Amino acid sequence: MALAQQSASLALDGGDPRLNAGDVVPAKNFSRRDVSFEEYMYYAAITRAEEKVANEKFIQARGPRSLKTIVQARFSKGHTGALPATPNESAGEKSENDNTVTRSVQTRQYVTPEEEKTASRAVRTAGWGTIFYLITTDILGPTSAPWAFAQMGYGPAFALYTVFGLLSYYSGWVIWKVFLGLDSDRYPLRGYGDFFYRLFGPPARHFVNVTLSLQLLLVVSVLILLNGQSISQISRGPVGDRTGLCFVVCLLIYMVVGFLLGQIRTLQRLGWLANAAVWMTVGMILLCMGTVGYGPNYAAVEASFGLERAPIRTFAGTPPAGYTSGTGFVASLNGLNAAVFAYGGCMLFAALLAEMRHPMDFWKGLLIAQIFIYAAYVFFGAFMYSFQGQFAYNPSQQGIVLYSAQTAANILSILSALIASVLYSNIGLKVVYIEIFHELLGFPPLTTRRGKLWWAFLIPVYWILAFIIASAVPAFSYVVGLQSALFTLSFTYTLPACVALGYWVRKDAMVEGEERFDPSTRTYNYVDRGFARLRRGFMKKPLFNLANIIYILGATVTCGLGCYSAIVSLIDAFARGSANSLSCVPPL
């Protein structure tokens, strides 16, 4: 259940996952308009060199590792630091997290370079082992894998999970390399939008952040729908008829609990809950595997996809018509959407890198996590498909026929997803508030009393919007498919390729020996500008840059095909009557 794990792990080490040092204010305070690409690179090189020396000293001082020290390090709270007080700083400008201080552009001039370095390093405590754990909990969630196998068959499913796993690793590698080239103690890179600000300017950052906020709103909608279905299943009892709680009421219950918990703004004390959410998901997966022998949930599959009870069949290749939730081509694309969604975690990599003591080690955690995640997806997907065949359900815990196990799995799903929902709504609303309400409409900062009142008002509005989307389109698999094609695919595949193209063309256009950045005047002596410069940068690595263009085009085509299959399937679901807006009848 990847959508229920993404972002949740950002709270694992304590502290608000939305708030790093200085992160309360808009990103422009860290990425000022007068900072050039070359200046970012200049200070990033200095920071990387200092980190290398600091890491060597850290390893020497730490001494040999033991199981005890590893466990103690994993469960320690870590250390965060605050920017030093400035003459213009008032008590009202501090957030509820005492280690986070809001800065304005005017007060930044009082901070010395050494103070900036100290504040930046103070929040960077994670090692690559921690990053492996965070990436795994962000992305791992194989409950859609059995359904994906049922739509595509063994061969195509193995192939697509392998291809998208490799591509997602490449995207993570790009994010890592560009982060190393642009992040510094002076200009820390905190989020996904910062890449686009530094490479393409403010409009690109606004577009990415607004798109991210829309994605998070849809993810909250998906979680409301998923857990509304779980509440509905529990309410119907072991008989499994459709006379339990009204389905809209089930969605309302989850929505109300969600926006009440969403009033928590700092989330600092949810770290242990996010950790528990991971083990809840593991328990849910084990329940699915342990009870799969009782047979599939035929009633749920028939209600959602129109497949009537028949002998269980599995296929090495693409299943024929009648053995999938749609026609062959559309069903395969729906399975592709599930595979795409499985690896959707790139949007969080910048935040994870910003927490690392030695970011150059990120590739280790990324590689091991990707291998582990890939193995979990293909094993669980193939295992469940072998027993349930065309009747594999998405999510898999709702396809369990044994009511006691189904109820236990649904409860685990509700609890773990509720934690993720709170995190998603907080992150999503914060992006919207800063990008639109604060920057464009002049609303007060969230750390002020008026800002807190606006937050208390807007959180219910945010959840109500998510509820309207969920209740209007109650077809879980296809809503997830549409969200995957529109947003997850873009953030995991398309946008990293754009970052790679923009970064390496500009980097390779720099002429070593003839061009130089002067830190005293903050100027760079360009030998040329315009098209000639871009052409030189492109031709330095023509095959690499061409591959990224093909990657962008391929991801865009896949996005279009994914949207097409999800929309066609949604239309078919409404035509069959398995999905009805604002209906008391559950869709499973």
Side-chain angles (χ1 to χ4, degrees):
M1 203 171 81
L3 59 94
Q5 296 303 328
Q6 291 177 5
S7 291
S9 63
L10 291 180
L12 288 176
D13 291 328
D16 188 343
R18 301 167 294 111
L19 304 176
N20 290 318
D23 198 30
V24 179
V25 292
K28 66 181 181 181
N29 290 356
F30 292 108
S31 306
R32 295 178 296 180
R33 294 175 184 270
D34 60 342
V35 181
S36 66
F37 173 81
E38 291 76 18
E39 184 174 356
Y40 285 129
M41 290 200 63
Y42 175 83
Y43 285 107
I46 294 174
T47 297
R48 300 289 86 81
E50 292 176 344
E51 285 173 347
K52 182 178 180 181
V53 174
N55 190 61
E56 292 171 352
K57 293 181 179 178
F58 172 82
I59 293 174
Q60 292 175 357
R62 183 189 62 191
R65 304 301 301 274
S66 65
L67 179 61
K68 179 180 178 181
T69 58
I70 292 173
V71 171
Q72 287 176 340
R74 179 64 193 88
F75 289 97
S76 66
K77 293 183 178 180
H79 303 283
T80 58
L83 290 170
T86 65
N88 288 350
E89 186 178 86
S90 64
E93 292 177 332
K94 292 189 177 181
S95 71
E96 290 183 358
N97 180 354
D98 292 336
N99 294 324
T100 303
V101 181
T102 304
R103 292 282 182 219
S104 66
V105 177
Q106 291 76 19
T107 61
R108 186 182 177 92
Q109 62 185 309
Y110 293 99
V111 183
T112 67
E114 192 61 33
E115 289 171 338
E116 283 182 328
K117 183 187 300 184
T118 300
S120 179
R121 297 283 172 86
V123 297
R124 302 188 180 202
T125 59
W128 70 265
T130 300
I131 293 303
F132 157 74
Y133 181 82
L134 292 174
I135 293 175
T136 302
T137 54
D138 277 333
I139 300 176
L140 182 63
T143 54
S144 64
W147 184 78
F149 270 75
Q151 305 313 300
M152 297 184 287
Y154 286 112
F158 272 114
L160 279 179
Y161 272 103
T162 302
V163 169
F164 283 115
L166 292 172
L167 291 177
S168 66
Y169 177 78
Y170 169 73
S171 295
W173 178 86
V174 166
I175 296 298
W176 169 58
K177 296 295 287 186
V178 177
F179 181 92
L180 293 181
L182 295 179
D183 168 78
S184 64
D185 292 324
R186 179 176 290 244
Y187 303 116
L189 198 156
R190 299 297 190 191
Y192 207 100
D194 282 356
F195 289 111
F196 290 84
Y197 184 94
R198 300 179 187 202
L199 293 171
F200 306 110
R205 178 174 71 89
H206 291 312
F207 172 77
V208 169
N209 284 339
V210 170
T211 304
L212 175 60
S213 67
L214 288 174
Q215 179 187 12
L216 293 172
L217 177 64
L218 276 181
V219 169
V220 174
S221 298
V222 167
L223 288 170
I224 290 175
L225 180 56
L226 166 66
N227 293 285
Q229 290 184 177
S230 293
I231 295 171
S232 177
Q233 270 194 332
I234 294 171
S235 73
R236 297 204 301 270
V239 178
D241 57 26
R242 295 161 75 95
T243 59
L245 280 176
C246 173
F247 185 63
V248 174
V249 173
C250 296
L251 300 179
L252 277 170
I253 291 172
Y254 190 83
M255 180 202 74
V256 171
V257 175
F259 77 63
L260 288 176
L261 289 178
Q263 294 295 336
I264 303 171
R265 291 180 303 109
T266 61
L267 306 179
Q268 186 174 10
R269 303 191 182 278
L270 285 183
W272 68 274
L273 285 177
N275 216 330
V278 177
W279 297 108
M280 291 176 193
T281 300
V282 171
M284 184 174 58
I285 297 305
L286 293 176
L287 269 175
C288 291
M289 296 177 65
T291 58
V292 69
Y294 288 92
N297 189 342
Y298 294 104
V301 176
E302 182 177 1
S304 294
F305 307 125
L307 289 178
E308 296 182 357
R309 185 165 184 159
I312 294 174
R313 294 280 305 275
T314 59
F315 299 90
T318 303
Y323 290 93
T324 61
S325 60
T327 62
F329 179 66
V330 171
S332 295
L333 290 177
N334 285 330
L336 179 146
N337 284 342
V340 167
F341 190 67
Y343 296 103
C346 263
M347 65 180 181
L348 302 174
F349 285 178
L352 298 181
L353 279 158
E355 298 293 329
M356 289 195 70
R357 180 186 66 255
H358 190 56
M360 283 181 281
D361 284 342
F362 178 80
W363 69 272
K364 300 176 186 178
L366 175 64
L367 178 61
I368 299 174
Q370 288 291 100
I371 293 173
F372 178 80
I373 291 165
Y374 166 77
Y377 283 144
V378 296
F379 174 77
F380 182 71
F383 183 91
M384 296 294 290
Y385 179 52
S386 297
F387 282 91
Q388 294 185 325
Q390 72 270 33
F391 298 104
Y393 194 74
N394 184 23
S396 57
Q397 74 270 14
Q398 293 177 2
I400 299 174
V401 71
L402 186 64
Y403 177 74
S404 57
Q406 178 195 98
T407 300
N410 276 326
I411 291 172
L412 290 174
S413 172
I414 292 170
L415 293 175
S416 62
L418 188 61
I419 299 166
S421 301
V422 174
L423 290 164
Y424 273 122
S425 64
N426 274 262
I427 296 167
L429 181 57
K430 185 169 184 289
V431 172
V432 172
Y433 191 92
I434 289 175
E435 284 290 324
I436 299 175
F437 289 91
H438 181 61
E439 288 197 15
L440 300 181
L441 301 179
F443 277 52
L446 284 174
T447 50
T448 64
R449 177 177 174 78
R450 290 178 58 214
K452 294 174 185 178
L453 292 175
W454 275 112
W455 178 271
F457 170 76
L458 289 173
I459 272 289
V461 173
Y462 189 92
W463 276 85
I464 289 170
L465 286 174
F467 162 79
I468 291 172
I469 296 171
S471 58
V473 193
F476 176 77
S477 295
Y478 306 136
V479 173
V480 170
L482 184 61
Q483 187 263 334
S484 300
L486 270 178
F487 298 111
T488 305
L489 187 144
S490 298
F491 277 96
T492 306
Y493 305 101
T494 312
L495 295 182
C498 294
V499 169
L501 191 65
Y503 174 77
W504 270 284
V505 167
R506 296 187 67 173
K507 178 178 179 291
D508 292 337
M510 300 167 68
V511 181
E512 187 176 355
E514 298 182 37
E515 296 182 342
R516 185 177 65 87
F517 174 74
D518 184 354
S520 61
T521 61
R522 298 180 59 220
T523 57
Y524 188 82
N525 59 320
Y526 299 94
V527 298
D528 58 3
R529 294 178 182 270
F531 178 76
R533 186 173 187 83
L534 294 177
R535 182 181 181 277
R536 181 174 65 252
F538 186 90
M539 296 308 297
K540 187 73 172 290
K541 296 185 180 75
L543 294 179
F544 176 74
N545 293 317
L546 182 61
N548 279 307
I549 292 176
I550 295 173
Y551 191 16
I552 293 170
L553 294 175
T556 303
V557 171
T558 306
C559 172
L561 291 173
C563 291
Y564 165 76
S565 66
I567 292 171
V568 168
S569 298
L570 283 170
I571 292 173
D572 181 61
F574 276 98
R576 292 197 318 267
S578 59
N580 295 289
S581 300
L582 297 170
S583 172
C584 270
V585 180
L588 78 165

